[in-house]
């Protein structure tokens, strides 16, 4: 049973549970326990599972460790501390692991001083970076606190000698649990925890999380099930004790009328002013390229303020040494500012930050709070954040995001379920441990929250694949990894190299590298693999200032030919964070509220006052939002959670566009757009261009599209099947299949000490994919690739929800014909054109379009008054 912890213990009560030396250490350093500590420490000591959700800097780590340190101190004093692991600490980042080890050092040393003797409490980090010497040392004298990653834990479970050292584990701490639970690393970890529990019996599970919702789901993920019933877990939620000082800022007074160059310069001036007003500023840009550009421009534009010693970049493409240098300088207070993509979101100790700046929208409330929570790194200090926006869509998005953040309304976490590639990897790992009864192994797997609904047929299909029962696969060098005795109903490992193969190919993070782009045999540049996933034959994109058409891909190389006209896939696409569905719907609700004000004839002053009351914005922002909405209202209709607007627009060269005003986030729009395009292509036998954003999507073609008729063919019952059919020959499916083939050990990244390049893996997986599509489309790893694309990469669940709203009449469909795109459609229609225009042309294009819209509105209003 999962319930909220309502009991808060007094300082005296907690002290009575702590060892005297630990008590004395704590009282010398701290005046009192934090709210999360008051609700957690005693229950951890009692062995209760617990999920602690509180902001960065609120003492979460000490909350988890204090009882454990006290317990180990007690054992040491009685000379009962054995050479075994008592606590496993797991985090998603190696850097965080190293931080924790350092942070434990000081209290352990100081408690030893109070004790007046060596306590011998050991802690050590074990990750993929740990040397063989250190690993051997751990076998002889294992750490009492083992600090590791999800991947290393699953390797230790099949290491016979080290597994013995885990037999005494009493506590498992999972830090930053929210960032693991929402992806396949978390699915992988959930099965490792069940395997550990099967190995050693019950242990106390402690989850540490920043802002996340719903906490019940994360707690359920943490503890799993015991024979179909939720295990017990207490939730400690002290998320909103920390005050928030957040504002949305625009660098110019009018976002539409200002030149893009004025907006750009204004943004850098604003950022510079904010940095100079504070001691240390952390800036998030959302993209790696944006991070590099920002650091370069600040140094170039304000040489008197910035140099390579006081401002640095931090992102995942930089070397480990450079990132570590940046983190250390930040911690030591030597930097004025650090610019990061997303890599400093999680709780690495980066010292004191007094301001966080977000350049453009973070796309979800939880991400905004996570980032802004990096500032004011003391319990009672305000977290201070400024979000800088540069267009009207973003202004509205961030204003609603700010409202939700201040009111504690957080987007829901999505946890993947029944991932058959991860399951394959774990079943292979289980077979290496010992022989298993088929039905008993199924019951152990179903104890994981991520597999609680696992279908028995799917489980048996995975067993069949691993046992080599798809004999045709041997032609493609995919061999059996386990044996099955159906008479005795047991399975076990096959081959002497099983443990080596498993340990060197473990994990869920796929290898990735840049994709080479070749035109007429010459390399013209590189693109990200995520960008390649978007491409289908005929798509066009910009690279190095030129437009290219995608022809085909082979391994990590794609073939292109020169093209004209606007690109169908904008250049920034792969790096963009997707807007969360919950935030998208709240923006739609806000649209509906303003729409009703217009319909009831409210004047400008009344509506501005309402925007002020509803959102936390200044006069400039409120006026920009009002002008944007009044233009859309007067020119067309305002799409919202009640109205689904379809706009027919004829573009340059008589090219037809059907624009769907579907503000549901890019993942939902990806699903809806592909399904509708598939219907159009089948109905009219034409190639359709798709372009999507968080706010909508369009279909474009030289021929007939029949947008409304095609969209009406789509429904909540057929979308899944249509999507799966539309994926067959796409790079998206091929790429996800490569990842799944690697996770399920169909293709091995490492074999007998040799690594296979990403390109070779991709070529091999494409051959396998074609073979499997011809062999049996019900093959479990193929089905998993399809599931991953439509459920994780896209968002089929919420796409179905949208279609059900339309089917029930909750959301009505309206259509409009335009010769100039409506204000709400402008960003979507222009994103392709703007990629190929020079900076000055972009400014002119934007102004010209805006003026044309205003002229149309004036004509329309004049006509209606005649």
């Amino acid at each position: 049973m999962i319930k909220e912890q309502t009991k808060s213990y007094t300082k005296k009560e907690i002290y009575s549970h702590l060892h005297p030396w630990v008590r004395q250490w704590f009282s010398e350093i701290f005046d009192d326990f934090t709210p999360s500590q008051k609700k957690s420490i005693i229950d951890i000591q009692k062995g209760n599972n617990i999920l602690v959700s509180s902001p960065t800097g609120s003492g979460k780590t000490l909350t988890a460790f204090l009882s454990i340190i006290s317990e180990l101190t007690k054992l040491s004093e009685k000379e009962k501390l054995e050479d075994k692991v008592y606590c496993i600490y797991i985090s998603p980042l190696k850097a965080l692991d190293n931080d924790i080890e350092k942070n434990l050092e000081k209290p352990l040393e100081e408690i030893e001083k109070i004790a007046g003797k060596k306590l011998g409490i050991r802690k050590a980090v074990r990750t993929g970076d740990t040397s063989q010497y250190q690993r051997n040392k751990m076998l002889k004298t294992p750490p009492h606190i083992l600090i590791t990653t999800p991947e290393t834990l699953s390797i230790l479970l099949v290491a016979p000698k080290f597994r013995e050292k885990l037999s005494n584990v009493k506590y498992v701490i999972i830090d930053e649990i929210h960032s693991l639970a929402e992806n396949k690393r978390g699915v992988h970890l959930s099965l490792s925890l069940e395997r550990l529990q099967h190995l050693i019996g019950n242990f106390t599970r402690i989850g540490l999380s920043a802002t996340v919702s719903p906490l019940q789901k994360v707690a359920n993920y943490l503890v799993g099930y015991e024979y179909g019933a939720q295990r017990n877990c207490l939730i400690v939620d002290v998320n909103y004790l920390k005050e928030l000082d957040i504002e949305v800022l625009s660098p110019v007074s009018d976002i539409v009328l200002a030149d893009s160059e004025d907006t750009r310069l204004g943004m850098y001036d604003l950022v510079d002013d904010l940095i100079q007003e504070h001691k240390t500023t952390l800036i998030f840009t959302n993209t790696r390229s944006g991070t590099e550009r920002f650091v370069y421009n600040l140094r170039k534009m304000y040489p008197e303020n910035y140099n390579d010693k006081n401002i640095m970049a931090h992102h995942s493409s930089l070397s480990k040494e450079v990132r570590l240098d940046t983190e250390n300088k930040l911690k030591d207070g030597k930097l004025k500012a650090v610019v990061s993509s997303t890599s400093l979101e999680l709780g690495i100790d980066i010292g004191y930050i007094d301001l966080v700046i977000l350049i453009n929208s973070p796309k979800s409330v939880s991400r905004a709070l996570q980032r802004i929570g990096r500032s004011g790194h003391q319990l009672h200090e305000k977290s201070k954040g400024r979000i800088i926006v540069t267009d009207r869509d973003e202004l509205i998005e961030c204003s609603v995001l700010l409202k939700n953040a201040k009111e504690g309304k957080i987007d829901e976490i999505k946890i993947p379920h029944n991932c058959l590639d991860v399951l394959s990897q774990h079943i292979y790992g289980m077979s290496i441990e010992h022989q298993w009864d088929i039905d008993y192994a199924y019951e152990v797997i179903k104890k994981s929250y991520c597999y609680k609904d696992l279908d028995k047929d799917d489980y048996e299909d995975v067993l069949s694949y691993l046992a080599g029962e798809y004999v045709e696969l041997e032609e493609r060098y995919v061999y059996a990894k386990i044996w099955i005795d159906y008479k005795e109903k047991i399975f076990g490992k096959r081959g002497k190299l099983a443990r080596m193969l498993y340990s060197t190919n473990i994990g869920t993070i796929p290898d990735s590298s840049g994709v080479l782009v070749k035109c007429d045999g010459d390399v013209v540049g590189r693109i990200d693999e995520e960008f390649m996933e978007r491409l289908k034959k005929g798509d066009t994109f910009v690279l190095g200032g030129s437009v290219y058409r995608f022809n085909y891909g082979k391994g990590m190389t794609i073939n292109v030919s020169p093209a004209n006209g606007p690109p169908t896939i904008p250049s920034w696409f792969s790096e963009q964070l997707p807007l969360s569905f919950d935030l998208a719907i709240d923006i739609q609700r806000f649209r509906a509220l303003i729409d009703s004000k217009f319909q009831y004839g409210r004047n400008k002053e009344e509506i501005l006052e309402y925007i002020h009351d509803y959102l936390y914005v200044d006069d400039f922002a409120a006026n920009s939002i009002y002008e944007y909405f009044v233009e859309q209202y007067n020119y067309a209709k305002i799409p919202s959670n009640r109205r689904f607007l379809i706009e027919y627009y004829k573009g340059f060269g008589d090219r037809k566009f059907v624009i769907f005003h579907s503000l549901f986030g890019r993942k939902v729009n990806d699903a809806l757009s592909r399904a509708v395009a598939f219907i159009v292509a089948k109905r009219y036998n034409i190639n359709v261009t798709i372009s999507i954003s968080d706010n909508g999507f369009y279909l474009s073609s030289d021929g007939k599209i029949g947008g409304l008729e095609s969209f009406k063919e789509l429904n909540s019952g057929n979308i899944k099947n249509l999507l799966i059919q539309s994926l067959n020959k796409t790079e998206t499916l091929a790429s996800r299949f490569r990842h799944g083939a690697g996770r399920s050990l169909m293709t091995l990244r490492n074999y007998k000490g040799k690594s296979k390049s990403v390109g070779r893996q991709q070529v091999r997986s494409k051959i396998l994919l074609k073979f499997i599509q011809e062999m049996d489309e019900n093959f479990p790893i193929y089905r998993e690739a399809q599931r991953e694309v439509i459920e994780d990469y896209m968002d089929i669940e919420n796409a179905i929800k949208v279609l059900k709203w339309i089917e029930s009449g909750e959301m009505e469909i309206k259509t409009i014909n335009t010769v100039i795109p409506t204000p709400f459609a402008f960003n979507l229609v222009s994103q392709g054109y703007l990629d190929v225009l020079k900076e000055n042309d972009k400014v002119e294009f934007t102004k010209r379009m805006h003026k044309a819209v205003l002229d149309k509105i004036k004509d329309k209003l004049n006509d209606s008054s005649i």
Side-chain angles (χ1 to χ4, degrees):
M1 187 181 162
I2 291 167
K3 60 180 185 178
E4 189 158 345
Q5 168 68 298
T6 52
K7 189 168 175 59
S8 185
Y9 295 92
T10 65
K11 188 172 170 180
K12 190 179 174 185
E13 285 174 310
I14 299 171
Y15 274 170
S16 70
H17 282 76
L18 295 178
H19 187 280
W21 297 336
V22 177
R23 185 165 66 225
Q24 188 183 330
W25 168 78
F26 187 90
S27 64
E28 286 173 6
I29 307 277
F30 304 99
D31 294 330
D32 198 359
F33 294 97
T34 66
S36 63
Q37 289 164 356
K38 285 177 178 175
K39 289 185 169 188
S40 308
I41 289 170
I42 289 177
D43 277 290
I44 290 171
Q45 196 163 49
K46 287 178 181 174
N48 293 327
N49 296 326
I50 202 156
L51 172 66
V52 181
S53 176
S54 67
T56 305
S58 59
K60 280 198 297 285
T61 311
L62 194 55
T63 302
F65 275 113
L66 202 60
S67 287
I68 297 164
I69 291 170
S70 179
E71 187 70 20
L72 294 175
T73 303
K74 199 182 293 177
L75 289 170
S76 176
E77 188 196 14
K78 292 177 180 174
E79 297 185 352
K80 288 185 178 177
L81 199 58
E82 295 179 55
D83 281 343
K84 289 189 173 175
V85 177
Y86 289 86
C87 168
I88 302 174
Y89 167 93
I90 299 163
S91 91
L93 297 175
K94 290 174 188 173
L96 193 49
D97 283 348
N98 295 327
D99 254 6
I100 292 296
E101 191 194 18
K102 280 185 212 153
N103 293 344
L104 283 173
E105 218 157 88
K106 202 175 173 191
L108 290 173
E109 280 175 6
E110 288 171 351
I111 292 164
E112 280 187 339
K113 276 184 196 166
I114 291 164
K117 63 173 184 175
K118 284 277 178 200
L119 295 174
I121 298 170
R122 295 185 298 270
K123 75 288 178 274
V125 174
R126 172 82 183 253
T127 67
D129 294 342
T130 307
S131 68
Q132 194 57 50
Y133 167 74
Q134 289 292 338
R135 291 178 194 189
N136 292 337
K137 197 174 156 188
M138 280 183 212
L139 264 179
K140 289 172 191 163
T141 50
H144 303 112
I145 298 171
L146 174 68
I147 300 162
T148 191
T149 58
E151 292 75 17
T152 302
L153 174 63
S154 62
I155 291 171
L156 296 178
L157 289 173
V158 300
K161 289 179 184 172
F162 205 93
R163 205 163 63 213
E164 289 172 30
K165 311 294 181 188
L166 300 179
S167 60
N168 232 33
V169 168
K170 290 186 176 176
Y171 310 95
V172 174
I173 301 167
I174 304 168
D175 205 349
E176 304 288 357
I177 190 171
H178 57 284
S179 75
L180 284 168
E182 63 188 358
N183 54 50
K184 286 195 173 182
R185 281 187 89 195
V187 176
H188 194 274
L189 175 60
S190 77
L191 278 180
S192 291
L193 292 176
E194 293 312 328
R195 285 170 60 191
L196 180 65
Q197 179 130 342
H198 167 262
L199 185 69
I200 66 169
N202 287 336
F203 50 84
T204 303
R205 302 183 189 213
I206 305 159
L208 305 179
S209 176
T211 312
V212 69
S213 175
L215 283 170
Q216 285 75 10
K217 192 191 277 189
V218 180
N220 203 178
Y221 163 81
L222 170 68
V223 297
Y225 287 78
E226 196 68 52
Y227 301 109
Q230 281 178 346
R231 293 191 183 108
N232 292 337
C233 188
L234 288 169
I235 295 174
V236 173
D237 182 11
V238 286
N239 249 324
Y240 303 109
L241 295 178
K242 210 170 190 187
E243 285 189 72
L244 295 168
D245 172 7
I246 314 177
E247 289 176 24
V248 174
L249 303 175
S250 167
V252 289
S253 57
D254 191 317
I255 292 177
V256 175
L257 295 179
D259 284 354
S260 61
E261 185 60 10
D262 288 346
T263 304
R264 190 183 81 86
L265 294 173
M267 177 176 67
Y268 281 105
D269 281 342
L270 176 56
V271 170
D272 176 49
D273 288 344
L274 288 167
I275 293 171
Q276 297 312 315
E277 287 164 14
H278 296 83
K279 183 176 177 287
T280 309
T281 302
L282 175 58
I283 302 163
F284 284 101
T285 63
N286 291 347
T287 66
R288 295 185 294 277
S289 56
T291 295
E292 294 291 353
R293 190 169 60 245
F294 232 85
V295 172
Y296 174 80
N297 286 336
L298 283 171
R299 285 176 185 167
K300 187 181 166 192
M301 293 165 72
Y302 313 95
E304 69 285 0
N305 291 340
Y306 308 105
N307 53 57
D308 58 4
K309 295 204 169 47
N310 67 2
I311 184 168
M312 294 178 82
H314 191 288
H315 58 75
S316 56
S317 296
L318 292 168
S319 72
K320 180 183 158 189
E321 290 72 26
V322 171
R323 292 201 307 269
L324 199 58
D325 184 40
T326 306
E327 289 158 25
N328 289 335
K329 283 180 177 164
L330 193 53
K331 217 177 292 184
D332 296 341
K334 292 177 181 173
L335 297 178
K336 189 71 182 160
V338 168
V339 187
S340 173
S341 53
T342 57
S343 52
L344 286 176
E345 279 180 1
L346 298 182
I348 307 165
D349 182 9
I350 50 174
Y352 183 77
I353 304 282
D354 52 349
L355 175 69
V356 171
I357 299 174
L358 310 186
I359 305 296
N360 307 123
S361 172
K363 297 292 177 183
S364 80
V365 180
S366 53
R367 187 178 284 110
L369 290 172
Q370 175 83 5
R371 290 176 174 184
I372 291 164
R374 303 298 268 144
S375 70
H377 206 150
Q378 308 262 323
L379 180 59
H380 298 297
E381 272 193 52
K382 278 187 177 184
S383 284
K384 187 174 186 181
R386 298 292 179 262
I387 307 173
I388 297 176
V389 297
T390 52
D391 73 44
R392 296 195 287 186
D393 284 331
E394 205 165 53
L395 171 61
I396 292 160
E397 187 177 301
C398 290
S399 299
V400 175
L401 182 150
L402 172 60
K403 174 186 173 69
N404 285 358
K406 290 203 172 199
E407 294 172 6
K409 188 176 178 188
I410 304 158
D411 6 63
E412 275 209 24
I413 190 170
K414 197 173 174 191
I415 300 173
H417 285 270
N418 302 328
C419 307
L420 301 183
D421 49 359
V422 177
L423 179 63
S424 303
Q425 194 178 119
H426 271 280
I427 289 174
Y428 189 34
M430 290 164 80
S431 75
I432 295 164
E433 286 176 36
H434 54 75
Q435 292 179 18
W436 284 79
D437 176 88
I438 290 173
D439 292 335
Y440 181 56
Y442 178 58
E443 290 306 319
V444 169
I445 289 160
K446 279 172 68 80
K447 290 180 180 184
S448 153
Y449 171 76
C450 301
Y451 292 94
K452 64 186 173 70
D453 303 317
L454 178 66
D455 189 86
K456 188 77 179 276
D457 287 346
D458 286 343
Y459 167 67
E460 288 173 351
D461 284 350
V462 170
L463 284 177
S464 294
Y465 145 62
L466 289 170
E469 290 172 15
Y470 292 86
V471 288
E472 305 96 316
L473 285 173
E474 286 201 9
E475 294 172 36
R476 292 284 170 252
Y477 311 106
V478 178
Y479 300 110
K481 291 170 181 64
I482 65 170
W483 55 261
I484 299 176
D485 183 333
Y486 284 105
K487 194 177 175 188
E488 297 294 324
K489 295 194 79 177
I490 55 173
F491 68 85
K493 70 165 183 169
R494 189 189 282 250
K496 291 176 183 174
L497 296 174
R499 192 157 73 85
M500 183 274 288
L501 289 177
Y502 180 76
S503 299
T504 53
N505 289 280
I506 199 83
T508 60
I509 303 168
D511 292 341
S512 63
S513 68
V515 177
L516 281 179
V517 181
K518 282 189 172 182
C519 182
D520 296 327
D522 296 326
V523 175
V524 292
R526 282 178 180 269
I527 57 170
D528 284 348
E529 189 181 346
E530 291 90 344
F531 191 81
M532 181 180 76
E533 285 182 13
R534 279 292 311 158
L535 299 172
K536 62 181 190 308
K537 191 174 179 181
D539 274 338
T540 55
F541 62 95
V542 175
L543 183 64
S546 301
V547 182
Y548 295 100
R549 177 179 289 102
F550 171 68
N551 299 322
Y552 61 86
K554 186 178 179 185
M556 299 306 282
T557 303
I558 65 167
N559 178 279
V560 299
S561 47
N564 298 311
T568 59
I569 311 286
S571 56
W572 44 258
F573 200 93
S574 65
E575 288 194 315
Q576 281 287 85
L577 296 166
L579 179 68
S580 81
F581 181 74
D582 294 346
L583 179 55
I585 294 303
D586 283 335
I587 298 166
Q588 296 249 44
R589 287 194 186 103
F590 174 64
R591 283 181 173 185
L593 290 167
I594 300 299
D595 186 38
S596 66
K597 300 289 173 198
F598 289 133
Q599 287 182 39
Y600 286 119
R602 302 283 184 257
N603 63 34
K604 183 175 180 177
E605 285 68 32
E606 288 174 306
I607 295 172
L608 281 173
E609 192 180 329
Y610 180 79
I611 292 170
H612 267 302
D613 288 346
Y614 190 81
L615 302 173
Y616 302 83
V617 291
D618 62 14
D619 291 344
F620 281 155
N623 191 62
S624 287
I625 292 169
Y626 171 81
E627 293 296 341
Y628 193 26
F629 276 68
V630 81
E631 283 170 23
Q632 178 72 21
Y633 179 77
N634 285 331
Y635 185 28
K637 305 266 185 197
I638 293 181
S640 68
N641 62 321
R642 295 177 193 157
R643 180 184 294 127
F644 189 98
L645 185 65
I646 299 176
E647 178 177 347
Y648 292 89
Y649 159 67
K650 195 174 275 190
F652 301 111
D654 279 348
R655 191 168 178 85
K656 298 180 187 73
F657 291 82
V658 182
I659 302 159
F660 295 80
H661 289 262
S662 52
L663 201 171
F664 303 115
R666 212 169 69 228
K667 285 184 162 191
V668 170
N669 288 338
D670 204 347
L672 292 173
S673 64
R674 287 196 201 221
V676 179
F678 185 73
I679 291 169
V680 171
K682 272 182 77 176
R683 277 183 95 173
Y684 302 109
N685 198 24
I686 54 165
N687 278 331
V688 185
T689 297
I690 307 173
S691 189
I692 68 171
S693 73
D694 287 314
N695 288 23
F697 65 92
Y698 71 66
L699 306 181
S700 175
S701 170
D702 293 326
K704 187 173 181 182
I705 299 177
L708 179 61
E709 299 80 10
S710 300
F711 186 73
K712 281 187 170 175
E713 263 190 50
L714 183 64
N715 59 58
S716 57
N718 68 7
I719 183 172
K720 186 173 180 180
N721 189 38
L722 288 168
L723 266 184
I724 283 171
Q725 286 181 64
S726 75
L727 286 171
N728 270 350
K729 290 177 182 171
T730 62
E731 288 296 326
T732 312
L733 183 67
S735 198
R736 299 289 151 158
F737 179 78
R738 170 173 76 81
H739 301 168
R743 289 188 198 106
S744 61
L745 310 176
M746 286 182 79
T747 59
L748 301 175
R749 290 172 293 167
N750 299 290
Y751 184 68
K752 292 186 178 178
K754 289 184 180 174
S755 294
K756 195 176 284 180
S757 71
V758 179
R760 282 185 65 202
Q761 288 177 47
Q762 185 76 301
V763 169
R764 175 154 162 66
S765 69
K766 274 202 172 174
I767 294 166
L768 266 176
L769 175 60
K770 192 170 184 299
F771 185 76
I772 284 162
Q773 284 173 329
E774 290 166 3
M775 178 189 82
D776 182 358
E777 289 203 346
N778 210 33
F779 183 70
I781 310 308
Y782 180 67
R783 280 191 289 122
E784 172 54 28
Q786 292 175 323
R787 185 213 63 78
E788 186 179 339
V789 173
I790 67 171
E791 289 183 19
D792 303 344
Y793 181 74
M794 298 179 199
D795 186 353
I796 183 84
E797 187 186 328
N798 284 317
I800 288 170
K801 194 183 279 186
V802 169
L803 292 170
K804 283 182 174 172
W805 288 339
I806 291 168
E807 286 157 17
S808 69
E810 196 177 325
M811 186 183 272
E812 61 169 351
I813 296 177
K814 291 285 183 187
T815 60
I816 183 173
N817 292 293
T818 60
V819 286
I820 295 153
T822 60
F824 281 14
F826 175 70
N827 276 348
L828 176 62
V829 172
S830 66
Q831 66 187 12
Y833 291 112
L834 294 180
D835 249 6
V836 289
L837 292 177
K838 293 191 178 113
E839 204 57 53
N840 288 342
D841 296 338
K842 282 183 190 177
V843 176
E844 278 312 305
F845 179 72
T846 306
K847 283 185 170 176
R848 214 166 53 241
M849 292 290 271
H850 187 242
K851 185 179 182 305
V853 166
L854 294 180
D855 289 344
K856 279 279 170 199
I857 292 167
K858 199 186 286 181
D859 293 345
K860 197 173 175 185
L861 292 174
N862 287 339
D863 289 347
S864 63
S865 61
I866 293 169

